[in-house]
Amino acid sequence: MHTAHQRKGTTMAKIASVAMEVVCDTEANLKKFEKYICEAADQGVDLIVFPEMSLQGLPCGLLGIESQKAFILHELGEQVPSGPSVQRLINLAKEKDIYVVWSMIEQDEVRFDVMYNTAVLIGPEGYIGKYRKVHQALAERLYFYPGNGDYPVFDTRIGKVGLSICFDKAYPEVARILAIKGAEIIASPNAWRVTERTEEDPDFRLGNIFAYARAMENMVFFVEATHAGPFRMGHSRIIGPNPIQICATTGYDEGMAVAEVNIQEEILKARLAAMAGSDLLKDRKPGTYSLLTEMTPYTLNYGMPHDGTIE
């Protein structure tokens, strides 16, 4: 059994982020999960993160609604944590003494017709918790129900872990809430599509900006894992809490990035020394941000009149 190394109240830990080619075949994806989990455990990894919807695959696409693909989603969905694939991964996490995060198609416990895009956290102690994606891109909202915005943070032996999924990183409020709740690591299963498959591609650069910003503005670790292969994504990575700090990354091809980091020490360095000692959490002025929770012309579909005015 390996454990995170304790030193002077800080935690040394190994984190892995997987760039993985995913197919619409749960068993095939599970076998690949198991391969990477075993490889990571052999390297002493404490936490491994897999891409968005990597358990069952991405059958629906994001550009339009297709009835047949909607049926496929419902056929592939599992409940969390009672689903057979989830239970299989829980048993492996216990055996290998490792924390695992991934995103999957979750079937609601009560309503058979309701599906979620859900991130799951398991570990040596078994099932730990889940998060249902709130911000849905393109046609995703036509297939899945959004989560309720609980933005959970979970205690682990390497620190506090918050969960978000892909498009959530475009909304700074998500990572900020997780940080305020004490998250030291934000694990983000991702499926951020790029167009040209080069670092000059605007979509790739935008995804980069969001990922770096969420780590920097909250001075936490941001770990995102994304797809390799035909979905034209790539660059699973571990970003540190200091400005423009990259700890490890993959390319566009399938692979695993691994970094050994001192989680609390790096966060302390960021909050006490980086940016001229400006702690971006401590120096916030929450009393001036009330407009963020008020109804405005930009909060469509949530009680707004059709003409865009505010009653």
Side-chain angles (χ1 to χ4, degrees), residues 6 74 76 79 110 140 160 204 214 254:
Q6 298 292 329
H74 282 264
L76 294 175
Q79 293 183 352
V110 178
E140 185 181 4
K160 294 180 181 296
F204 176 83
R214 301 298 82 88
E254 188 166 281

Side-chain angles (χ1 to χ4, degrees), residues 14-18 40 45-50 223 225 238 256-259:
K14 275 191 176 181
I15 300 173
S17 180
V18 176
V45 167
D46 297 283
L47 167 67
I48 184 170
V49 182
F50 288 94
V223 184
I238 301 152
M256 180 170 67
V258 178

Side-chain angles (χ1 to χ4, degrees), residues 270-284:
R271 295 180 182 176
L272 300 182
M275 301 183 68
S278 295
D279 183 334
L280 297 180
L281 289 181
K282 177 179 69 66
D283 294 340
R284 293 168 59 248

Side-chain angles (χ1 to χ4, degrees), residues 153 155 159-162 176-185 220 267 271 281:
V153 174
D155 286 313
K160 294 180 181 296
V161 177
R176 179 53 51 86
I177 289 171
L178 293 172
I180 289 171
K181 286 185 171 183
E184 297 159 323
I185 303 166
V220 298
I267 290 174
R271 295 180 182 176
L281 289 181

Side-chain angles (χ1 to χ4, degrees), residues 224-240:
E224 68 174 358
T226 193
H227 292 248
F231 286 103
R232 302 174 65 85
M233 300 174 192
H235 286 73
S236 294
R237 52 199 161 189
I238 301 152
I239 303 173

Side-chain angles (χ1 to χ4, degrees), residues 168-190:
D168 285 326
K169 72 179 180 179
Y171 297 85
E173 295 87 351
V174 176
R176 179 53 51 86
I177 289 171
L178 293 172
I180 289 171
K181 286 185 171 183
E184 297 159 323
I185 303 166
I186 297 175
S188 178
N190 191 56

Side-chain angles (χ1 to χ4, degrees), residues 34-101:
E34 291 167 341
K35 166 183 173 289
Y36 278 113
I37 289 170
C38 290
E39 287 181 6
D42 288 343
Q43 295 182 45
V45 167
D46 297 283
L47 167 67
I48 184 170
V49 182
F50 288 94
E52 181 179 16
M53 291 181 65
S54 53
L55 179 60
Q56 301 106 326
L58 285 165
C60 61
L62 295 174
L63 300 179
I65 186 75
E66 296 182 39
S67 298
Q68 185 57 41
K69 291 182 178 179
F71 279 109
I72 293 173
L73 284 173
H74 282 264
E75 291 173 0
L76 294 175
E78 293 185 17
Q79 293 183 352
V80 177
S82 62
S85 301
V86 181
Q87 286 296 309
R88 182 166 152 184
L89 289 170
I90 287 172
N91 290 335
L92 184 60
K94 289 179 178 179
E95 176 189 340
K96 296 298 182 180
D97 193 36
I98 190 171
Y99 292 100
V100 185
V101 172

Side-chain angles (χ1 to χ4, degrees), residues 5 24 79 110 177 197 209 228 230 308:
H5 308 294
C24 293
Q79 293 183 352
V110 178
I177 289 171
R197 209 177 170 103
I209 290 168

